[in-house]
Structures are given as C-alpha cells and as structure tokens.
Amino acid sequence: MTQSKDTAANAMWGGRFASGPDAIMTAINASIGFDQRMYAQDIAGSRAHAAMLAAQGIISDSDAKAIGEGLLTVLSEIEGGKFTFSTALEDIHLNVESRLTEIVGEAGKRLHTGRSRNDQVAVDFRLWVRDQCDAAIAGLTALMKAFLAQAEAGVDWVMPGFTHLQTAQPVTWGHHMLAYVEMFARDRSRFEDARRRMNECPLGAAALAGTSFPIDRFATAQALGFDRPTANSLDSVSDRDFALEFLSASSICAMHLSRFAEELVIWSSAQFRFVRLSDKWTTGSSIMPQKKNPDAAELLRAKLGRILGATVALFTIMKGLALTYSKDMQEDKEQTFDAADTLMLGLAAMTGMVSDMTANRDVLRAAAASGFSTATDLADWLVRRLGLPFRDAHHVTGTLVAMAEKAGIDLPDLTLAQMQSVHAGITAEVFEVLGVENSVRSRLSYGGTSPVRVAEQVARWKAALG
Ligand code: ARG
C-alpha cells in the first residue's frame, strides 16, 4: 500500500470522486486484512463468471482466456506470498481484480460485467462456509471414531452413572462413551443439513436486482459445485443465514465438547482418577512438581465462549437490517473465521485426547460399587419379587440406605437379618441384585446400559462409521 493510493480517488469507482477517503475511513472500511482468507473462493468465482460470460457471448473468448489465465497467475502470486495486498483497494474482490487488470490489461476490466461485489462476496463467503461445513463433518467423524474405539474396548466395564454429579446407578463405560457418539452424530447431521441448504449459488444476483446481461446462472452454479442458483436476487445478496446456521451448529457442537471436557477435568483429578490423560494433552506446573494439569480439556471447556460469542455477534449484526446489502454485513467474516478456526482446533484436540486417554478400570469399578448405587435395583427387586408397589419399595430401600449409611457400610454389606428388620419378606436372593455387574446386566431395555445393548450399538456405529 502506498500513500498515493490512499489519497487518490479510488481507481475502481473514482469517476464520481474528487478526493480519496480519510485515512481513518480507509481503516474502518477496509476488509482486506481478513477477507484475503477467501482469495481462492474469490478467484474460483471469477473464473466461473468469466467462462460463463464468454459462453453467453457477453465477452470475447480471447478476453475470457486472458482473464482465466490471469486469475491463475494471481492465485499463484498469493499462494507464493508474492502478492501485495492493498488497504486502499478495500477488499479481496478489488485487490484481485486490480491485480488481474495490471497483468492482462483491458480484458481484466471486462470481468465485472453483470455482477457486483454484493453477489461476489455472497458467493465467496458461501463457498468458504461450505468448506468449513465439510471440515466440521470430517472432524466430527474422526471424533466419533475415537469415542467408538473407547466404547468398544470397555463395553462391559462398570462405572458410576451420575445425576446431579451424585452417584445414581452403575452404568457401563461403553454406554457413556456412546452417549457422546450420539451427540456428535447429531452435530454432524446439523452441519450436513446446513450445507445442503446453503448450497445455492447467489452469483448473478448482481447488486440486488439481477442484470440485463443474458447471463447463465445455472452454468456458474454448476461450475462452483452448487445444486442450483438462488431464486431471488434480493435475498441472495442480503442474507447471511447460512453463516448463522454454521455458527449455531458450531455452538451446539462446542457445547457438547465442553461437557466432555468438564468430565475429563473431573475424572482426571486425584480425587476421581477415573482416567489418565496422556502427557501429550496435559501440562506441568512450574512450582508444583506433582501436577499434571488437563489444560487442553479446560480450554475446550472454555472455547464455546468464543464460538457462541461469534454467533451472538452475527445475529446482532444481521438483526433489523433492511433489505438488501448493507456494509454492516462485512462484520460477518471475522466472527465466522474465528469461530470456524476455534471449532476445528477443538475437534482435533478432543479427538487426540479421547484417543490417548486410559480408563482406570478398577477405580471405575470400585466407584460404581460405592454410594448405594444399586439402591434402585433393590427397590425394583422388592417390586418384582415381593409384589410391593414401587412407592413402598422406594421407602423400604430408603430406610435400608439410611441404616447402611449410619453404620458406615454399603448396601451389600448389610446382613440379611438387618434387611429383614425393615421388611420381613426379604430373602438372601436380594444380594444378587446388589452387585454392580448384575445391575448393569439387568438394564436390557432398548437404549439401556446392559453390555448386550451396548455391544449392539457399538456394532451399529461401526457399520455406520466404517
Ligand atoms: N467487503 C465487502 C463485504 O465484505 C464486499 C461487498 C461490498 N459491497 C459494497 N457495495 N460495498 O461485505
């Protein structure tokens, strides 16, 4: 960027302007500092547009050829780090077009026929967000596979299941891992869904009303991998709902990541010791030599803050904007870029952590057996065997739990006589249901934690994920 470029009237629309913008105006107005990330999408869009213009007889074949080749030169200059981005040229669209015209001359000036930066930025950004949907889908697939491998290894390992972070009932490790496979599968389907909906091409909507040139929007849509062109030119240049869908799906996904991150923080603590995190995903303390901190998990717990922040920001930017394009919408990109980067990094980090973590099977088993975790099994047994109404069985069990708690022992440590003092009908058979293995084995309902059911779900997911 040179001083003269800053003070001169803009070469792209200078006809109406006697002087250039104030330096502060340039600073607030320019987006090239961030939208240069869309250079590949911008060049792809322009190449498709130029080829279509020639096919429709709107520009000559030789001009289209010069433009197509010139754009490839620009692409290699950018990728080779040889391109000088100019703030005076505002954004990626004007930077590419200006350099193209420097390289190929007159032909470059014909590229902007029948289009506007409004449809150009709409198509560039859609292509970029579409790529991010693909990246999220791939990242989630890898993460689901990591959870699935954990589930398969520990289909029948017993661990405590929690509600309110209080011991509730014994569950299986495989079941807990598959809970996350389900969540991330829904996240993945949200990205697939959003991608399908956004896959319409806004190019050719021009400034807002369409164009009088006989363009072929179906051809450019096809060339850029879209299913079809968008059907309303006003809508095409004015909505960013596709980015909002991406951000919303990203927020939900980051929320799921944060929940497992929190479990890892708890589980890896000295008090729980449910899992051991690999050295690769932890850090030490500069003062306390014993420490192995779950930093990656903590950061993943926090990342939703950024992603949801971007989501709220873009909703706030878009809210109340009258149709069609307004410069407010330029604020869409930094938010979306940061959220996408954060999500992809988060997915990769979680995949690594899950793949490398080791469950402490014995600790899980012991924890599952403590905290009266089979109290529900006892109540169910009273219903099944003695025909008690569930509410009465609940009361009898509660009395037994209180008795055990007072004695500082667990439910299976009560004697038969102690049990019979609360309900005379109880027999020695009850001890069978007080064991955690029997407890999980009995949860055979569809979607339940029994190893039989978990193995079925593992098989289903293995077939689905390959
Ligand atoms: N840099 C702009 C953006 O990101 C491109 C579109 C500008 N269009 C306009 N008419 N000023 O939104």
Side-chain angles (χ1 to χ4, degrees), residues 193-207:
D193 226 35
R195 188 197 196 283
R196 210 172 300 124
R197 220 174 348 266
M198 76 179 66
N199 206 28
E200 294 186 344
C201 186
L203 189 60

Side-chain angles (χ1 to χ4, degrees), residues 31 35 90-91 93 117-118 121 325 327 329-330 333:
S31 55
D35 70 12
E90 238 189 272
D91 56 27
H93 324 298
R117 276 190 300 157
N118 294 349
V121 72
Y325 179 86
K327 200 62 173 265
M329 289 159 65
Q330 181 167 285
K333 282 175 272 311

